[in-house]
Amino acid sequence: MDRRDFLKGTAATGVFTQAGGSFAASAEPRRERRIATEEAWSTAAHMRAMDELAALPSDNLDLISRRGVPTDGPLYRALIDDEERLRQMDELGIDMHVLSLTSPGVQMLPADRAIALAEQTNDRMAETVARNPYRFAGLASFAPQDPVAAAREMERAVARLGLHGFVVNSHTDNRYLDEPFFWPILEAAEALDRPIYIHPRAPADTMAGPFREHNMHAAIWGFQAETGTHAMRLILSGVFDRFPRLQIVLGHMGESIPFNLWRADYQFERRRERQRSSLVPSEVFRRNFTITTSGVEHDPTLRYCIEVLGADRIMWAIDYPYQPMAGALEAMNQARISDSDRALIFHRNAERLFHIPPL
Amino acid sequence: MDRRDFLKGTAATGVFTQAGGSFAASAEPRRERRIATEEAWSTAAHMRAMDELAALPSDNLDLISRRGVPTDGPLYRALIDDEERLRQMDELGIDMHVLSLTSPGVQMLPADRAIALAEQTNDRMAETVARNPYRFAGLASFAPQDPVAAAREMERAVARLGLHGFVVNSHTDNRYLDEPFFWPILEAAEALDRPIYIHPRAPADTMAGPFREHNMHAAIWGFQAETGTHAMRLILSGVFDRFPRLQIVLGHMGESIPFNLWRADYQFERRRERQRSSLVPSEVFRRNFTITTSGVEHDPTLRYCIEVLGADRIMWAIDYPYQPMAGALEAMNQARISDSDRALIFHRNAERLFHIPPL
């Protein structure tokens, strides 16, 4: 049995995960806690609301996309089936999912309905977490359509419901969180010391043009174009001077930003006097952002991101149910990284950022 | 003197360039030929045409951008000053620049004027190359506004003028080269066995929305969003099934595509039956694309791209005069890569792709 088979075997039984090979710090393989941090979840009420939206006449790419997938199919059923999720987690030895309401959350609904649905789904999420507090953590939704109401719900979600952070699905009505209109949300996240996970959605109507053919709008390309652009707007707008402790999480290895960070710094410095941020992009990115491995089971990319950002800024994620659990787990088990980096990425960074008590 | 200083010294004198350290294949440092492949150039007539365009009332991001830079300033003067260019090349020991008409070329002019200006600048470029055939090669411009005329000019540029390939500055009137309208251009490039360098410009009007604030539209982020999107459209549209030998060049380490290639393949395979291309994105990218290092002087990114694509798909570039020659040269000299990879990236790939005779 070669190393690959050995690791596959251990992944399947869940007995060991860290046969580090030449990277092992000790001879004894250790079983690291495994916390997956971008795991989509929903409720029947949320699914119904999305179906109603998708039935409206609209050329919005998120709605076009939704029309292509049956709500009663296996993909969407997996979002609301906590037992099936736990069964797969048990089978593979995955300790915890950090749940988040699936994209586009409540962000396409009228404000009053979005506020009510965010409250309702956060209540349901808190119940799910309470039933299995060692298996689930949760990121609260809010309605950016009404930032003051959003901030109120964010406080309730942490103080009353005990949730662990927040999720927002990129733009809201084609607007981005760097606009002062949304600052109550950034202020609340900073004050509550909980991160905002900026999850993808399809490119905003204001940039949708080139993404309308060849299925370009979704995970194959458009998601990172939209979400990376959102994050770069935050970085360049200077909001992190105003909210220096605000923490943002980006999935999919950072939505192309790590790859462009040297160039962004260079171009930023070239016209330093015109910039609105006091820090260069890489300083902001390494201080205020954490990326996750969701959707990317690729060792060279993981090692490159560790080299560029440091392992303390990377968390493991699957992107369940849009990607299966086994592949993401195997990729992380087999990654040619140090044991200490693997521990950071598998659980320690998530414990710190989301205030999940260590075991 | 440490290795860094030694290499700096050799870069400045131009005597040696390849002190490979632990990567050296032989004990004797070799002086590799250095061909820089994305070097902007212009003519006084082209500069005047751009100034006239910029004076028109328009919220197009390329024109807004141009209004910010004086045509008689040092940046634009450097585009048309061949002697100053050669002086700097001599000083640093740079053998050759592959010249291309600076962005957005002729693509924003009315078709008849664009056709005439492309011919005129190609003639001028051919004269520049003829005066210094060991120091300059050239990529011909064409007017995508009229694809049949463009194909005719492409043939003239290779057969009559001896130019080495073509440059297009991403979209033309918010349209992309995958549209059948433009196929005469792709067909001509394939038949002539010369690559098309897709150089950035600001995001198309149809995706410009989120790029209008914080200087987001240019090299700091928008250029790669626009140009990477263009290239992904080509890949996903299936045009490389129709033109399997067509070669495309992308600058700036591939405009984020190498970083997203694993995910693109995964998402492509997930819905294989709906795809228009018979090959997965990475197969197309490794067969039909070559990237350059323009604007990115970052060793981890270079090594990552070699790992993902192979060194035979990467060429050295500076992005002069938008970035200085010295930094790009130093980054390449100091890159922790093998001597054979350095030779491929410094000159061998460019010689093969652009039909530049080896020394």
Side-chain angles (χ1 to χ4, degrees):
Chain A
M1 169 159 97
D2 67 16
R3 179 164 177 266
R4 189 179 166 92
D5 290 331
F6 175 68
L7 284 161
K8 274 189 186 157
T10 58
T13 62
V15 177
F16 304 129
T17 69
Q18 263 206 327
S22 60
F23 298 89
S26 73
E28 192 74 359
R30 266 184 309 154
R31 164 71 163 85
E32 290 290 347
R33 188 184 196 187
R34 297 149 167 175
I35 302 177
T37 57
E38 187 199 305
E39 311 317 320
W41 174 93
S42 185
T43 66
H46 178 245
M47 287 284 106
R48 276 195 304 275
M50 292 301 100
D51 281 344
E52 285 169 34
L53 272 179
L56 298 174
S58 166
D59 69 350
N60 174 274
L61 286 170
D62 284 302
L63 297 185
I64 291 173
S65 197
R66 178 146 193 121
R67 285 179 206 130
V69 187
T71 293
D72 58 355
L75 189 65
Y76 285 149
R77 269 191 282 120
L79 290 168
I80 62 174
D81 189 341
D82 296 342
E83 292 310 311
E84 170 59 18
R85 186 189 299 263
L86 280 168
R87 191 193 64 70
Q88 291 186 39
M89 290 167 66
D90 288 343
E91 186 179 309
L92 294 165
I94 293 169
D95 297 277
M96 182 178 268
H97 274 199
V98 180
L99 305 172
S100 45
L101 185 63
T102 197
S103 184
V106 302
Q107 289 164 247
M108 297 189 73
L109 296 166
D112 54 348
R113 201 155 163 225
I115 293 168
L117 188 59
E119 283 178 22
Q120 188 192 328
T121 51
N122 290 339
D123 287 344
R124 284 279 295 110
M125 182 177 273
E127 290 162 23
T128 298
V129 172
R131 272 195 295 275
N132 288 285
Y134 291 97
R135 310 306 301 282
F136 295 131
L139 306 184
S141 294
F142 54 79
Q145 297 93 318
D146 183 336
V148 173
R152 213 161 42 225
E153 178 61 9
M154 291 166 79
E155 189 176 354
R156 187 184 80 94
V158 172
R160 303 264 305 268
L161 302 181
L163 291 176
H164 301 81
F166 313 103
V167 63
V168 68
N169 300 286
S170 201
H171 77 86
T172 302
D173 298 332
N174 307 311
R175 300 173 70 179
Y176 295 90
L177 293 176
D178 56 283
E179 282 190 40
F181 174 74
F182 294 115
W183 285 1
I185 292 166
L186 307 185
E187 190 176 17
E190 188 188 47
L192 293 162
D193 188 23
R194 293 294 184 285
I196 300 176
Y197 201 125
I198 305 185
H199 183 280
R201 59 184 290 195
D205 301 330
T206 49
M207 69 178 282
F211 299 90
R212 292 194 177 279
E213 287 98 35
H214 318 319
N215 213 28
M216 285 276 292
H217 65 282
I220 206 161
W221 187 254
F223 283 0
Q224 63 79 34
E226 162 68 26
T227 317
T229 297
H230 191 162
M232 281 303 292
R233 283 185 58 109
L234 285 169
I235 290 167
L236 296 177
S237 69
V239 294
F240 295 101
D241 285 329
R242 189 170 187 104
F243 307 109
R245 296 184 318 285
L246 174 62
Q247 294 298 315
I248 303 290
V249 183
L250 296 176
H252 315 100
M253 292 291 189
E255 312 292 6
S256 296
I257 292 180
F259 190 74
N260 290 288
L261 216 40
W262 189 92
R263 182 156 160 83
D265 278 1
Y266 181 91
Q267 296 294 336
F268 184 97
E269 294 277 19
R270 244 184 95 198
R271 300 184 177 182
R272 183 99 201 196
E273 73 289 355
R274 298 195 209 170
Q275 306 298 344
R276 305 178 69 173
S277 166
S278 72
L279 301 173
V280 300
S282 70
E283 287 172 323
V284 175
F285 204 73
R286 293 194 188 103
R287 186 188 73 173
N288 296 94
F289 284 79
T290 304
I291 71 170
T292 81
T293 64
S294 60
V296 185
E297 302 160 7
H298 191 229
D299 194 39
T301 303
L302 176 62
R303 285 184 280 107
Y304 170 71
C305 286
I306 291 173
E307 190 169 0
V308 171
L309 303 177
D312 56 336
R313 287 290 167 183
I314 306 174
M315 299 188 289
W316 181 57
I318 301 163
D319 213 347
Y320 179 85
Y322 303 108
Q323 282 185 224
M325 298 188 199
L329 181 61
E330 191 177 312
M332 195 59 210
N333 280 335
Q334 296 186 7
R336 294 190 287 130
I337 62 177
S338 71
D339 282 359
S340 59
D341 283 357
R342 200 182 319 265
L344 286 169
I345 295 168
F346 250 149
H347 66 99
R348 285 196 208 287
N349 294 331
E351 288 162 351
R352 173 177 45 78
L353 203 58
F354 296 125
H355 298 251
I356 296 167
L359 290 179
Chain B
M1 163 159 103
D2 68 15
R3 178 165 177 268
R4 190 178 168 93
D5 290 332
F6 174 68
L7 285 161
K8 273 188 188 159
T10 57
T13 62
V15 177
F16 303 131
T17 69
Q18 264 208 327
S22 60
F23 298 88
S26 73
E28 192 73 359
R30 266 184 309 154
R31 164 72 161 84
E32 290 291 347
R33 188 184 196 186
R34 297 149 168 176
I35 301 177
T37 57
E38 187 200 303
E39 310 317 320
W41 175 92
S42 186
T43 66
H46 178 245
M47 287 283 106
R48 276 195 305 276
M50 292 300 100
D51 282 344
E52 284 169 34
L53 271 179
L56 299 174
S58 166
D59 69 351
N60 174 274
L61 286 170
D62 284 301
L63 297 185
I64 289 173
S65 197
R66 179 147 192 120
R67 284 180 207 128
V69 187
T71 293
D72 57 355
L75 190 64
Y76 285 148
R77 270 192 282 119
L79 290 168
I80 63 174
D81 188 341
D82 296 342
E83 293 310 311
E84 169 60 17
R85 187 189 299 264
L86 281 167
R87 193 193 63 70
Q88 291 186 40
M89 290 167 66
D90 288 343
E91 185 179 308
L92 294 165
I94 293 169
D95 297 277
M96 182 178 268
H97 274 199
V98 180
L99 305 172
S100 46
L101 186 63
T102 197
S103 184
V106 302
Q107 291 164 245
M108 297 188 73
L109 296 165
D112 54 349
R113 205 161 159 221
I115 293 168
L117 189 59
E119 283 177 21
Q120 188 191 325
T121 51
N122 291 339
D123 287 343
R124 284 276 297 109
M125 183 177 274
E127 290 162 24
T128 298
V129 172
R131 271 194 296 275
N132 289 285
Y134 292 97
R135 310 307 301 281
F136 295 132
L139 306 184
S141 293
F142 53 80
Q145 296 93 320
D146 183 337
V148 173
R152 215 162 38 227
E153 177 61 11
M154 292 165 79
E155 189 177 354
R156 187 185 78 95
V158 172
R160 304 264 305 268
L161 302 181
L163 291 175
H164 301 82
F166 313 102
V167 63
V168 68
N169 300 287
S170 200
H171 76 86
T172 303
D173 298 332
N174 307 311
R175 299 173 72 179
Y176 296 89
L177 293 176
D178 56 284
E179 282 191 40
F181 174 74
F182 294 114
W183 286 1
I185 292 167
L186 307 185
E187 191 176 16
E190 188 188 48
L192 293 162
D193 189 22
R194 293 295 184 283
I196 301 175
Y197 201 125
I198 304 185
H199 184 280
R201 58 184 291 195
D205 301 331
T206 48
M207 68 177 281
F211 299 89
R212 291 193 177 280
E213 288 100 35
H214 318 320
N215 213 28
M216 284 276 292
H217 65 283
I220 207 162
W221 186 256
F223 283 0
Q224 63 79 33
E226 162 67 26
T227 317
T229 297
H230 192 162
M232 281 302 292
R233 284 185 57 109
L234 285 170
I235 291 168
L236 296 177
S237 68
V239 292
F240 295 101
D241 285 329
R242 190 170 187 102
F243 306 109
R245 296 183 319 283
L246 174 62
Q247 294 298 315
I248 303 290
V249 183
L250 296 176
H252 316 101
M253 292 291 189
E255 313 292 6
S256 296
I257 291 180
F259 190 74
N260 290 288
L261 216 41
W262 189 93
R263 181 158 161 82
D265 278 0
Y266 182 91
Q267 296 294 335
F268 184 98
E269 293 278 20
R270 243 184 95 198
R271 299 181 179 186
R272 183 99 201 197
E273 73 289 355
R274 297 195 210 169
Q275 305 299 344
R276 305 177 70 174
S277 166
S278 72
L279 301 174
V280 301
S282 70
E283 287 172 324
V284 175
F285 203 73
R286 293 195 187 102
R287 186 188 71 173
N288 296 93
F289 284 78
T290 304
I291 71 170
T292 82
T293 64
S294 59
V296 184
E297 302 160 7
H298 190 229
D299 193 39
T301 303
L302 176 62
R303 285 185 280 108
Y304 170 69
C305 287
I306 292 174
E307 189 169 1
V308 170
L309 303 177
D312 56 336
R313 287 291 167 183
I314 306 175
M315 299 188 289
W316 181 57
I318 301 163
D319 213 347
Y320 178 84
Y322 303 108
Q323 281 185 223
M325 298 188 199
L329 181 61
E330 190 176 311
M332 195 60 211
N333 281 335
Q334 296 185 7
R336 295 191 287 129
I337 61 177
S338 71
D339 281 359
S340 58
D341 284 356
R342 201 183 319 266
L344 286 169
I345 296 169
F346 249 147
H347 66 99
R348 286 196 206 288
N349 294 331
E351 288 162 352
R352 174 177 44 78
L353 203 57
F354 296 124
H355 298 250
I356 297 168
L359 291 180

